Amino acid sequence: MAFVAKAELGKIPLLSDWMRLLQCTFIERKSPRKSMKAIHDAAANVSKGYSQVIFPEGTRSKGGPHHEFKAGSFKLAFMSKSPIVPVTIDGTWRIYEDKKRLVPSKVKMIIHDPIETADLTREKQSEIPPLVEQIVCAPLPAPEKTSEEIK
């Protein structure tokens, strides 16, 4: 399993080496041309059997309300005709974001049923991002306020 990550992570020693060994894809978010090439490369890796993890918000929510899912993050699944497996992750922000240091915390993860993408029309493809967003976000509780927001 590999991740689609921002290009800046590809510049961190050791982490970048490990990510490359996993076949991670680095996205240059400010360059649409380079981003599309990276998505094509990721689709080729999926065809070789490597799963790719994408965070469709494009950033961490840091405990607040979730960000809108970016429709472009679904292109990889459509290009490779691979199923999308929505995953809800709740509580990771408490590990670091609240106190700005690592602390133990409970994290809840729900793996939802796969959504097939093979042979979808463009119309059906356009229905997938809001569907996945609804599936992923439905089990999430209302956002908690961090200690910074309470002050």
Side-chain angles (χ1 to χ4, degrees):
M1 180 169 34
F3 294 86
V4 175
K6 61 184 178 179
E8 292 82 359
L9 294 178
K11 297 173 185 162
I12 299 173
L14 298 176
L15 176 65
S16 62
D17 296 332
W18 172 71
M19 291 178 77
R20 283 185 179 85
L21 284 172
L22 289 175
Q23 302 300 313
C24 292
T25 300
F26 296 100
I27 298 282
E28 296 266 353
R29 294 193 280 190
K30 294 180 181 170
S31 171
R33 181 174 290 153
K34 288 181 181 177
S35 293
M36 275 312 296
K37 183 188 179 324
I39 292 297
H40 282 278
D41 292 345
N45 282 339
V46 169
S47 298
K48 294 176 192 171
Y50 292 96
S51 295
Q52 295 282 315
V53 177
I54 293 181
F55 296 96
E57 293 175 278
T59 189
R60 298 187 325 266
S61 62
K62 300 179 184 179
H66 76 279
H67 301 282
E68 179 183 347
F69 282 27
K70 298 182 182 336
S73 64
F74 295 86
K75 288 184 192 291
L76 172 57
F78 300 145
M79 289 172 65
S80 63
K81 298 183 179 186
S82 299
I84 295 170
V85 180
V87 177
T88 302
I89 304 172
D90 179 32
T92 56
W93 67 272
R94 288 185 205 101
I95 295 170
Y96 178 77
E97 300 298 340
D98 195 31
K99 300 189 191 294
K100 300 299 182 206
R101 62 182 170 84
L102 295 176
V103 296
S105 185
K106 290 185 179 182
V107 175
K108 181 179 179 182
M109 182 176 354
I110 302 167
I111 301 171
H112 303 278
D113 292 333
I115 300 168
E116 291 299 327
T117 65
D119 304 319
L120 292 178
T121 64
R122 287 219 186 259
E123 182 179 314
K124 289 290 185 188
Q125 285 180 0
S126 69
E127 296 171 6
I128 298 293
L131 172 65
V132 171
E133 185 171 2
Q134 190 273 323
I135 291 169
V136 168
C137 297
L140 294 173
E144 295 181 31
K145 292 191 177 193
T146 62
S147 54
E148 286 182 18
E149 292 174 315
I150 295 171
K151 292 178 183 175

